[in-house]
Amino acid sequence: MTITREYLDQNNRKLLMDRSVPGRMGTTLPKLDVPAAPLPDKSMLRDSLEFPEVTENEIVRYFTQLSQLNFSIDTQFYPLGSCTMKYNPKLHEEMSFQPGFANIHPNQSAESVQGALKLMYDLQGLLCEITGMKGASLTPMAGADGELAGMLMTRAYHQSRGDLKRTKVLIPDSAHGTNPASAAMAGFEVVTLKSDANGNTDLEALKSLVGPDLAGLMITLPSTLGLFDTNILEVVRIVKENGGVIYGDGANLNALLGRVKLGELGFDVIHSNLHKTFSTPHGGGGPGAGPVMVGERLAPFLPAPIVAKKKGDDGKDAYDYFYPPQTIGKMGAFQGNFGMFIRAYTFIRLLGNTGIDKIGKDAVINANYVQSQLKGYYHLPYDRTCMHEVVFSAKNLKKAHDVDALDVAKRLIDYNIHPPTMYFPLIVEQALMIEPTESESVETLDTFIEVMKTIAQEAKDNPELLHDAPHNTPNTRLDEARAARKPDLRWKKA
């Protein structure tokens, strides 16, 4: 037999079940010295299951090889716009694994978890200080859960005042895609608010939509265009004068750290994705945390429980769960994703005021550096200073060479770079949303910029190279619709 590269690759791609050889095993057990336990009822037993029979080194190599096929923030540059895939210090993971934190149970009494409650109380305060808000609840389990909590508080606030006619929520067309769903789930009518030519809220459109039925406005700041809305103070004034609540989607909060406090701009409620701004890049189904911070008029409605400080019997500080008087209730079981609180708390305390301020600046500088270097190679629909991310368009390549945003993204994989977000926000044709984050070096950004310039040249010289990309991965261009709608995920015996 001639051993070829294709043969080796094919052998390495075998599923674990296809590597099974009868009689092989990974370990052996000594003879049992305890009595055999009785088996469950026969109706609960089956002997038709097949398990792989492999040695220990075979199974270790199998899963190690699988892990090496992944793109990850630990191995590649990951400029996924609007998702902040930045480096996550491993110290934060170590802190969350400390036995004193990892081994406690949410059903334990408050007296037995005082350290954990103090951490949550302090984190509530830190988030209020960073955002300029008055109160916080850590319980929402993710960003969209925080959005829903904000909308439920908005509804509860209007209902508490007997103002039942306020049923409409305005959402700019540059907001995150989950905003309309969250408002609708809370029982509101969703009305889209268009952006103006500069990417800001269109004030004339806003004035035409406000009235006695206005419940509130959900605005993403900075927007998904990567822009700070320079009309924001006027937007807040108009909405509040018409009785509405201002909700801020804080998923892009990393651009504002140390520079802008949304509470001081007049926002009533915001959420922050701890798993994006403060630690632990999201994606892949990992745990999230979307605490909500509120101004004074929504504080009585915060989701429960929050953590309050009191004096213990010994006169020392003690911590306990607290239910705000008009709370909207729980957003999930127990107190939220506690492990995420530890990571975010460690992140904030390690950096301090100076470090937090530098994160915001570096995130903005890095995005504007990328923008300045790629302008002219890709269309820039909003040619102005951006915040933490920059949105280019591939429509020039599409028109001249029939190369679209998807082709550019797939070609980036050949250069060992994760694709940016594509086709979002929807108001930008052929969008490529790039977020370099504050944690990447100028050398990494320069490499990315040169690769993007090379791809733009390849689109002119050899567009088929992009149409067929990626070329260097175990699987090349897939039929994405078929892969999504008819996934082949179940092993079958050959």
Side-chain angles (χ1 to χ4, degrees):
M1 174 188 289
T2 301
I3 303 299
T4 63
R5 177 62 184 268
E6 289 72 20
Y7 172 83
L8 294 173
D9 287 344
Q10 187 178 26
N11 208 42
N12 283 337
R13 297 297 304 280
K14 279 185 177 178
L15 297 175
L16 194 58
M17 288 301 298
D18 294 326
R19 302 181 187 213
S20 177
V21 175
R24 287 186 182 169
M25 62 183 69
T27 188
T28 56
L29 296 174
K31 185 178 180 181
L32 293 178
D33 59 358
V34 294
L39 293 173
D41 184 84
K42 284 188 176 180
S43 63
M44 300 178 65
L45 301 177
R46 53 179 175 170
D47 55 12
S48 59
L49 288 176
E50 294 193 58
F51 292 99
E53 297 178 70
V54 291
T55 63
E56 180 175 337
N57 61 3
E58 286 174 324
I59 197 167
V60 168
R61 288 171 187 167
Y62 175 74
F63 283 110
T64 302
Q65 287 163 2
L66 275 183
S67 72
Q68 291 171 338
L69 297 178
N70 286 338
F71 264 74
S72 75
I73 197 66
D74 282 345
T75 52
Q76 282 101 1
F77 179 43
Y78 217 111
L80 196 63
S82 230
C83 289
T84 318
M85 300 296 286
K86 64 187 178 186
Y87 174 69
N88 176 38
K90 300 301 175 267
L91 176 63
H92 303 177
E93 299 300 309
E94 188 175 335
M95 292 299 103
S96 69
F97 295 160
Q98 293 298 305
F101 289 137
N103 294 336
I104 60 178
H105 191 279
N107 271 336
Q108 285 183 228
S109 65
E111 292 76 17
S112 66
V113 290
Q114 284 293 293
L117 293 182
K118 182 179 188 309
L119 184 148
M120 294 170 66
Y121 178 82
D122 289 348
L123 181 58
Q124 290 172 185
L126 290 168
L127 293 174
C128 286
E129 181 181 345
I130 289 170
T131 58
M133 307 300 278
K134 302 298 183 183
S137 170
L138 305 177
T139 61
M141 309 294 280
D145 205 29
E147 293 174 24
L148 179 60
M151 286 292 97
L152 291 174
M153 282 190 281
T154 299
R155 188 178 70 177
Y157 167 73
H158 290 308
Q159 289 179 342
S160 72
R161 302 170 68 244
D163 199 352
L164 305 181
K165 62 182 178 300
R166 296 189 178 276
T167 57
K168 183 170 71 179
V169 169
L170 305 180
I171 300 180
D173 54 13
S174 60
H176 278 122
T178 46
N179 287 182
S182 298
M185 286 182 68
F188 291 113
E189 174 194 1
V190 176
V191 178
T192 301
L193 179 60
K194 69 176 183 178
S195 301
D196 65 17
N198 294 317
N200 296 317
T201 301
D202 189 316
L203 293 177
E204 294 306 314
L206 174 61
K207 291 174 184 175
S208 71
L209 293 172
V210 296
D213 62 343
L214 178 67
L217 175 141
M218 294 184 83
I219 188 167
T220 301
L221 193 72
S223 71
T224 59
L225 294 169
L227 302 176
F228 187 86
D229 193 327
T230 55
N231 292 335
I232 189 62
L233 290 178
E234 186 65 2
V235 169
V236 171
R237 184 190 67 77
I238 294 171
V239 172
K240 287 201 165 181
E241 283 186 356
N242 284 275
V245 167
I246 299 286
Y247 180 93
D249 184 318
N252 295 338
L253 188 63
N254 61 318
L256 305 180
L257 290 178
R259 303 172 66 77
V260 176
K261 294 188 176 184
L262 295 178
E264 295 179 358
L265 298 183
F267 282 62
D268 292 297
V269 52
I270 66 171
H271 85 266
S272 171
N273 292 18
L274 296 189
H275 51 285
K276 291 172 63 177
T277 298
F278 296 106
S279 202
T280 313
H282 76 174
V292 283
M293 282 66 72
V294 296
E296 287 183 359
R297 64 173 173 166
L298 291 190
F301 306 96
L302 277 170
I306 62 176
V307 178
K309 184 165 69 172
K310 62 181 184 179
K311 287 295 179 186
D313 296 337
D314 57 0
K316 297 180 180 178
D317 288 342
Y319 301 88
D320 203 351
Y321 299 115
F322 173 74
Y323 284 69
Q326 294 169 278
T327 179
I328 59 170
K330 290 191 171 186
M331 296 301 297
F334 306 113
Q335 305 86 2
N337 278 325
F338 180 66
M340 302 307 301
F341 306 158
I342 299 170
R343 294 173 174 90
Y345 179 81
T346 307
F347 186 87
I348 296 170
R349 290 298 303 272
L350 276 177
L351 288 168
N353 288 339
T354 304
I356 289 288
D357 176 67
K358 193 170 188 304
I359 280 180
K361 290 178 180 175
D362 288 351
V364 173
I365 289 171
N366 281 0
N368 279 281
Y369 180 63
V370 171
Q371 183 196 79
S372 69
Q373 297 302 302
L374 291 181
K375 191 189 302 184
Y377 293 87
Y378 296 86
H379 175 65
L380 184 62
Y382 297 93
D383 191 358
R384 49 178 279 204
T385 302
C386 64
M387 297 295 288
H388 63 301
E389 62 193 4
V390 53
V391 179
F392 283 103
S393 165
K395 74 175 189 179
N396 55 338
L397 301 182
K398 178 70 175 176
K399 182 177 181 181
H401 313 293
D402 195 29
V403 167
D404 59 23
L406 177 67
D407 299 323
V408 174
K410 295 295 186 185
R411 185 60 176 152
L412 273 169
I413 298 173
D414 283 335
Y415 290 99
N416 215 26
I417 294 173
H418 192 280
T421 298
M422 297 171 289
Y423 305 123
F424 187 80
L426 299 177
I427 55 176
V428 174
E429 179 184 354
Q430 295 287 323
L432 288 165
M433 181 196 285
I434 299 164
E435 182 175 2
T437 79
E438 73 279 359
S439 56
E440 295 295 346
S441 68
V442 68
E443 291 82 7
T444 298
L445 299 187
D446 282 340
T447 299
F448 171 69
I449 289 163
E450 288 307 309
V451 168
M452 287 292 285
K453 290 178 179 178
T454 299
I455 291 174
Q457 187 63 43
E458 290 175 343
K460 298 176 183 176
D461 299 339
N462 185 8
E464 285 307 312
L465 186 65
L466 275 68
H467 292 156
D468 297 335
H471 302 273
N472 303 331
T473 51
N475 289 321
T476 54
R477 184 70 69 97
L478 298 174
D479 180 339
E480 296 197 355
R482 183 182 175 194
R485 294 172 183 171
K486 296 182 179 179
D488 183 7
L489 303 175
R490 189 169 184 174
W491 177 81
K492 295 176 184 174
K493 200 168 188 175

